[in-house]
Amino acid sequence: MTIWTPELPEGGPRYRRIAEAIAKAVESGDLAPGDKLPPQRRLADRLGVTIGTITRAYATAHHQGWVDSRVGSGTYVRQAIGEAPTSFRAGQPIDQGMIDMGMSLPPPHPLRAKGLQNALESITASPQSLQAATEYQPEAGDEIQRARIAAWQSSLGLPDDPSRMVITQGGQHGIQLALQVLCQPGDLVAGDALTYPGFISAAQQAHLRPLAVPMDAYGMEVDALARLCARQPPRVLYTTPDLNNPTGAQLDEARRERLVDLASEHDIWLIEDAVQYLPEAERGTPLVALAPERTLHIFSTSKVLAGGLRIGSLTVPAHLLERLGTAIRTQSWMVAPLMVETACRWMENPESQELLHWQIDELAARRTLALARLSDYGPMSREGSSIVWLPLPTGRRSSELQTLLARRGVKVSTPEPFCMGSEPAPQALRLCLGPPENRASLEKALSLINEALSEAPSSPWQTL
């Protein structure tokens, strides 16, 4: 295949002219959506420039929205709207017969639909609630509804101060709001080397510069963060201290205290994401309790009640409330009062506690089953977690296993979407225990995973 070589316009820095040539080629159709750009070294040799010039050109084209970079794969022309390449998106249809272990979802139970039905029926029986649902509400949410959500969070052992809370459209909205009020384009934002893809995407869309902090089996290496801060401290650090997504690692108390000290020393804002629910006994001290003056705490109903509610909370230092209100008003004016009231009534129904207790027991049983069935391969999973991190045997690649398992009817996740930086992704799989319809379905999926791991690797050769 002939390597694409741009004709550079006259004038200006070479990196900028290369980025302009990429944009022109995409607009003209010379580069089509999904096309892979030449490797940086090859294009540098072809144009007689340094690799650094090509790196900067590709980064400029990325910030302008023409290309996307994929860790370990290369740089590609961005897909047209509605044709984005598959990465990590909730709500994608699952093929008939496919067992989903790729999305972090709570296990199915009839009480989820029943809880929603009961909440909606109680609202329709209340003329006052119906009237309130038709009216505008304060940007941060109605004061009474915030107090009700805070009471529910208190019952879960989570931050419960309604005076410092804004209601959000789920955890992802909380991340976006936090970055919007804390950062300017070009700011440095740090996170675990492997972290939630929703944060990576939000940071990219806000034109922020990512900084990957090395990890070990116990989560973020805080000493490594200290060395990074000595060179250039980030504006924001995003962390999931109780349950890293995807590895399941948890920060111990000493690391939490060291992290808070570093944040204070270098004036770093902390975004603490607690959406991946763990029972209270399995959590550490919240960062928002250790450093309330610089921590924004995110929670939502997604992993406890239902993801489709799109209701969450963002607990923040009081002086940020006005800026958050402006951000919400600019985006959508407010979270839909009807959905907030629905969530509040569901939370207050005793059956919601019955559902949560069942979920905790069910996930514990599924976790025990998964660890036993995969014991030959060193699976890792925290007590109370719905995630299993499965390092692969030497010689096996996560992309190969993902493709092989998809052909056999099991959907799993590879580490690539979770990569914060440009380092190669580890060879492992993230397995989610919640989505399978029942334990029998999970057992079938685990058998297929075991079977695939026991086989010789499939050939990497493709027809030329």
Side-chain angles (χ1 to χ4, degrees), residues 305-323:
L305 299 178
L309 284 176
R310 307 315 307 143
I311 296 298
S313 68
L314 184 58
T315 302
V316 304
H319 70 273
L320 292 181
L321 288 169
E322 184 175 349
R323 290 161 62 186

Side-chain angles (χ1 to χ4, degrees), residues 113-125:
K114 185 180 178 185
L116 178 60
Q117 179 183 355
N118 290 340
L120 291 172
E121 287 178 350
S122 66
I123 292 172
T124 58

Side-chain angles (χ1 to χ4, degrees), residues 35-197:
D35 279 354
K36 184 177 181 179
L37 269 62
Q40 294 184 20
R41 183 177 295 279
R42 290 185 64 189
L43 187 57
D45 291 343
R46 182 63 64 93
L47 295 177
V49 300
T50 66
I51 293 178
T53 297
I54 302 300
T55 300
R56 195 170 181 186
Y58 281 10
T60 300
H62 171 78
H63 285 307
Q64 293 173 346
W66 298 110
V67 300
D68 282 315
S69 297
R70 305 178 194 170
V71 176
S73 179
T75 302
Y76 295 80
V77 176
R78 182 166 290 181
Q79 301 282 342
I81 294 175
E83 299 176 0
T86 299
S87 56
F88 240 87
R89 293 178 289 169
Q92 295 186 91
I94 301 297
D95 292 341
Q96 186 71 23
M98 180 76 76
I99 303 173
D100 182 12
M101 295 188 72
M103 291 299 298
S104 179
L105 304 172
H109 194 286
L111 279 178
R112 300 197 195 281
K114 185 180 178 185
L116 178 60
Q117 179 183 355
N118 290 340
L120 291 172
E121 287 178 350
S122 66
I123 292 172
T124 58
S126 169
Q128 182 179 3
S129 296
L130 290 172
Q131 178 61 35
T134 68
E135 298 171 349
Y136 284 92
Q137 302 289 349
E139 297 90 339
D142 175 77
E143 181 178 355
I144 294 176
Q145 289 178 331
R146 283 188 284 119
R148 294 160 73 188
I149 292 174
W152 177 66
Q153 291 191 177
S154 177
S155 73
L156 302 177
L158 294 163
D160 57 1
D161 184 352
S163 70
R164 297 193 300 117
M165 176 187 293
V166 299
I167 299 174
T168 66
Q169 298 179 72
Q172 184 64 38
H173 186 217
I175 293 172
Q176 188 174 20
L177 284 171
L179 292 178
Q180 184 173 341
V181 301
L182 296 177
C183 300
Q184 297 292 329
D187 279 349
L188 196 65
V189 293
D192 289 308
L194 293 173
T195 195
Y196 172 52

Side-chain angles (χ1 to χ4, degrees), residues 428-450:
L429 297 177
R430 187 195 73 163
L431 308 177
C432 296
L433 305 177
E437 184 178 359
N438 49 45
R439 292 185 209 174
S441 180
L442 173 63
E443 178 115 33
K444 178 180 177 182
L446 294 172
S447 295
L448 290 169
I449 293 170
N450 251 319

Side-chain angles (χ1 to χ4, degrees), residues 98 392 396-414 429 452 458-459 462:
M98 180 76 76
L392 298 183
R396 303 307 296 268
R397 301 193 64 82
S398 55
S399 57
E400 172 236 341
L401 262 298
Q402 183 186 48
T403 300
L404 179 61
L405 288 168
R407 291 173 182 161
R408 300 182 183 186
V410 182
K411 180 182 177 183
V412 298
S413 301
T414 64
L429 297 177
S458 57
S459 170
Q462 303 287 332

